[in-house]
Amino acid sequence: MARKAAVFGCSGQLGVELVRELQGRGYEVTGWERTGVDIADGAKVERVLAKLDPQVVFNAAAYNQVDIAEKEPQAAYVANALGVRNLAVACRQTDARLVHFSTDYVFDGTAQRPYQEEDPTHPLGAYAVSKLAGELYAQAYLENLLIVRTCGVFGPAGLRTNRGNFVELMLRLATGGQPIRVVEDHIALPTYAPLLAARTIELAEKNHRGVFHIGGGTPISWFNFARLIFESAGFKPSLQPTNEREYRTAARRPKYSALSNEKMERAGLAPMPPLGECLKTYLVAREKLVNPARP
Ligand SMILES: NC(=O)c1ccc[n+]([C@@H]2O[C@H](COP(=O)([O-])OP(=O)(O)OC[C@H]3O[C@@H](n4cnc5c(N)ncnc54)[C@H](OP(=O)(O)O)[C@@H]3O)[C@@H](O)[C@H]2O)c1
């Protein structure tokens, strides 16, 4: 009999890839987007999971509006902390395994090397606090739990999601004809969503539990990532470096948020390919979505 998997947030960048990868591996997959099941609705979460009785539950649902969260911290907390609590309680009742996603933003970015799973957390804003609280809630209710922290996710579904992703933002700005300013003093680890989905499912299938980091493998400044995007897509806009002092955002962000994949690799998973390769694959996949008729 096929193993049953549930995916919450199934139309987000990562959710789409989890569904695809799970189906490819022979799972019977049920996915819900927010209009189907809002994870903030505890009674509904319990009802749908009791009815489905899956072996494994993936939570790709999240409130990801990092700057807006500073104006509406409750909304971030409801989805990212209490929503995760709802899932954890329901998984405990049905004996399902929870696989939950968290963020590099649980760290403050003062490290001089990629963050490891045991490093002390120190979130810098409302979104980051809500995500850390989600981790704590999941750990409070469940032992058979996998938490994957990731960073700078980009997947082809970002073309159509409310929040989009950095690649889509850059491609949109490139067609606007205006100079584009991007921070050069913040380092991230852009992560390709299909690979994140595949590596996470592999960890879950190998029965790993606890916290794992899965980042893209190539630490890079946002400015250099923008440059790589334009080179890969064949655009030549006016790209100018800026920095945190000149480009103020409502939320503070960690300046250095590369995550170490060492633990993942020690678990026997393949290292992530170079970012340039992932970006090329992304651009091909997005082209197929934009122009489905083109051969
Ligand atoms: N994107 C990044 O750069 C990044 C970086 C680090 C970590 N992460 C983490 O990686 C995971 C996946 O992120 P992603 O990039 O795939 O995000 P995404 O594309 O923004 O997708 C998130 C999905 O969650 C849904 N959602 C929001 N609130 C919900 C709720 N209360 N109940 C049910 N669904 C809800 C959203 O639906 P609506 O569109 O209808 O709101 C959206 O479809 C998240 O845990 C995120 O925190 C992401």
Side-chain angles (χ1 to χ4, degrees):
M1 216 168 64
R3 292 162 294 178
K4 277 195 264 180
V7 178
F8 290 89
C10 70
S11 57
Q13 297 192 90
L14 177 60
V16 164
E17 304 303 337
L18 285 169
V19 170
R20 194 196 322 270
E21 183 71 28
L22 287 164
Q23 285 172 338
R25 288 172 187 242
Y27 286 78
E28 188 186 313
V29 186
T30 305
W32 291 284
E33 46 188 46
R34 184 152 62 109
T35 48
V37 180
D38 186 326
I39 61 168
D41 183 344
K44 188 152 188 192
V45 167
E46 282 183 35
R47 217 165 41 243
V48 298
L49 286 185
K51 187 162 177 226
L52 184 68
D53 197 19
Q55 280 84 43
V56 59
V57 172
F58 291 83
N59 179 31
Y63 175 110
N64 280 331
Q65 314 266 29
V66 178
D67 289 311
I68 300 172
E70 295 304 317
K71 284 201 204 103
E72 45 177 54
Q74 295 88 342
Y77 196 83
V78 166
N80 294 343
L82 300 179
V84 180
R85 179 181 178 273
N86 292 336
L87 292 171
V89 168
C91 283
R92 191 175 156 86
Q93 280 163 2
T94 52
D95 219 8
R97 178 133 206 261
L98 179 63
V99 179
H100 173 61
F101 292 88
S102 189
T103 171
D104 52 322
Y105 280 25
V106 297
F107 299 114
D108 63 14
T110 54
Q112 309 288 320
R113 48 147 182 85
Y115 279 99
Q116 294 183 325
E117 287 77 356
E118 309 71 34
D119 283 331
T121 52
H122 176 204
L124 298 181
Y127 163 79
V129 167
S130 72
K131 290 295 288 184
L132 182 59
E135 289 189 16
L136 295 174
Y137 270 128
Q139 286 162 338
Y141 291 90
L142 297 168
E143 263 138 46
N144 191 8
L145 165 74
L146 178 62
I147 294 177
V148 172
R149 294 192 188 125
T150 189
C151 176
V153 178
F154 64 102
L159 248 177
R160 291 177 185 152
T161 58
N162 291 335
R163 182 170 176 264
N165 62 41
F166 184 75
V167 184
E168 291 308 318
L169 174 65
M170 289 301 115
L171 296 178
R172 202 166 53 247
L173 292 176
T175 56
Q178 300 293 319
I180 301 168
R181 294 189 313 140
V182 180
V183 290
E184 63 174 354
D185 59 346
H186 277 230
I187 306 292
L189 199 65
T191 306
Y192 187 43
L195 293 179
L196 171 62
R199 295 292 194 286
T200 301
I201 295 165
E202 224 178 309
L203 277 182
E205 287 187 335
K206 285 175 182 256
N207 272 324
H208 286 288
R209 13 165 117 179
V211 179
F212 277 79
H213 289 173
I214 305 183
T218 309
I220 190 168
S221 74
W222 290 106
F223 175 78
N224 281 330
F225 186 30
R227 188 148 65 185
L228 185 63
I229 292 166
F230 297 136
E231 279 166 14
S232 307
F235 287 117
K236 288 189 179 153
S238 161
L239 176 64
Q240 298 168 1
T242 183
N243 56 50
E244 185 187 75
R245 287 192 64 178
E246 282 175 13
Y247 188 79
R248 289 275 174 206
T249 52
R252 292 166 74 205
R253 289 170 163 77
K255 266 194 144 175
Y256 178 87
S257 62
L259 300 172
S260 166
N261 284 343
E262 266 175 43
K263 185 176 174 187
M264 175 198 86
E265 290 173 20
R266 277 202 311 276
L269 274 69
M272 288 298 216
L275 179 58
E277 222 175 86
C278 296
L279 198 50
K280 275 190 198 139
T281 314
Y282 176 93
L283 291 171
V284 171
R286 102 180 266 286
E287 179 58 26
K288 282 195 186 134
L289 290 177
V290 176
N291 293 308
R294 199 177 285 172

